[in-house]
């Protein structure tokens, strides 16, 4: 199964980056960096939540089967035309709170420091990205006929790269456990944005996850 960030390498992905950048008034390259870092982190958080809490797994399953069924991806032009509506951002903020809980601020600060944005800008980007990510998961769940909590775990693991990406799984856990004091910023720099071409570096492993 292809990784979640294959989306950003597609025509649809470029439209998403352009739309999010324009809607938030942030630099396109920095927006792309923020999304490249954030989407796997959100995926990992969902995987962890679903694994550790059956109620969270059922809640996610219900969301993917109903509201977040992938239809948001069918009309991105309408979503971004004239700026993203506030109800979408409000929904995104609720999704982030549900996924990240008290880790939300720390994750935003770490991603901000290494994408060249401040945490408020990252927060705005993620409010828009979260419903899109949920839509992508919902669409994949329909394609893979995922209709149970047991199947959900396999879907999330597969979209994170499965057993071939254990090293970056540890990295994603580090970002999720950040407390906003920059304690994992150097790791983030080397592993995602600055280390893609170093032999044996986690950046190379992440490159596979990102479809690069």
């Amino acid at each position: 199964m292809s990784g979640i960030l294959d989306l950003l390498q597609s025509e649809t992905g470029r439209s998403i980056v352009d739309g999010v950048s324009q809607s938030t008034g942030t630099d396109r390259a920095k927006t792309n960096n923020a999304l490249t870092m954030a989407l796997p982190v959100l995926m990992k958080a969902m995987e962890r939540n679903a694994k550790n809490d059956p109620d969270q797994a059922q809640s996610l399953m219900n969301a993917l089967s109903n509201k977040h069924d992938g239809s948001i991806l069918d009309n991105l032009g309408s979503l971004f035309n004239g700026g993203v509506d506030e109800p979408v951002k409000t929904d995104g903020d609720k999704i982030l709170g549900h996924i990240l809980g008290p880790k939300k601020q720390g994750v935003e600060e770490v991603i901000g420091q290494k994408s060249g944005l401040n945490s408020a800008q990252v927060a705005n980007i993620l409010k828009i990205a979260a419903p899109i990510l949920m839509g992508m998961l919902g669409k994949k769940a329909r394609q893979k006929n995922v209709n149970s909590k047991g199947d959900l775990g396999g879907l999330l693991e597969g979209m994170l790269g499965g057993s071939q990406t254990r090293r970056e799984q540890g990295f994603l856990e580090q970002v999720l456990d950040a407390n906003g004091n920059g304690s994992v910023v150097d790791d983030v720099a080397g592993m995602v944005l600055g280390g893609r071409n170093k032999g044996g570096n986690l950046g190379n492993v992440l490159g596979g996850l990102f479809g690069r």
Side-chain angles (χ1 to χ4, degrees), residues 40 48 54 71 82 110 130 150 178 190 202:
R48 187 161 72 173
S71 57
V110 169
L202 182 55

Side-chain angles (χ1 to χ4, degrees), residues 20-137:
V20 173
S21 174
Q22 293 168 9
S23 296
T24 57
T26 50
D27 176 79
R28 188 192 187 283
K30 292 178 180 180
T31 300
N32 184 69
N33 282 342
L35 290 171
T36 298
M37 296 175 67
L39 293 184
V41 171
L42 295 177
M43 280 288 305
K44 184 61 182 178
M46 283 189 278
E47 182 195 38
R48 187 161 72 173
N49 292 344
K51 181 179 180 180
N52 295 336
D53 188 339
D55 290 338
Q56 290 247 27
Q58 187 61 57
S59 177
L60 178 57
M61 190 69 247
N62 292 340
L64 298 182
S65 300
N66 296 287
K67 183 175 183 179
H68 300 288
D69 60 357
S71 57
I72 192 172
L73 300 175
D74 297 332
N75 200 0
L76 290 174
S78 176
L79 174 68
F80 293 124
N81 186 29
V84 177
D85 293 339
E86 284 303 317
V88 175
K89 296 179 185 179
T90 299
D91 184 40
D93 194 42
K94 290 179 181 178
I95 292 170
L96 294 171
H98 189 70
I99 293 173
L100 298 175
K103 304 295 185 180
K104 182 174 178 289
Q105 182 178 355
V107 168
E108 290 169 351
E109 290 186 7
V110 169
I111 292 173
Q113 288 182 58
K114 296 320 302 177
S115 62
L117 301 169
N118 60 48
S119 58
Q121 290 172 312
V122 173
N124 285 332
I125 288 171
L126 297 190
K127 286 177 186 178
I128 298 173
I132 294 173
L133 175 61
M134 289 291 289
M136 186 179 180
L137 289 173

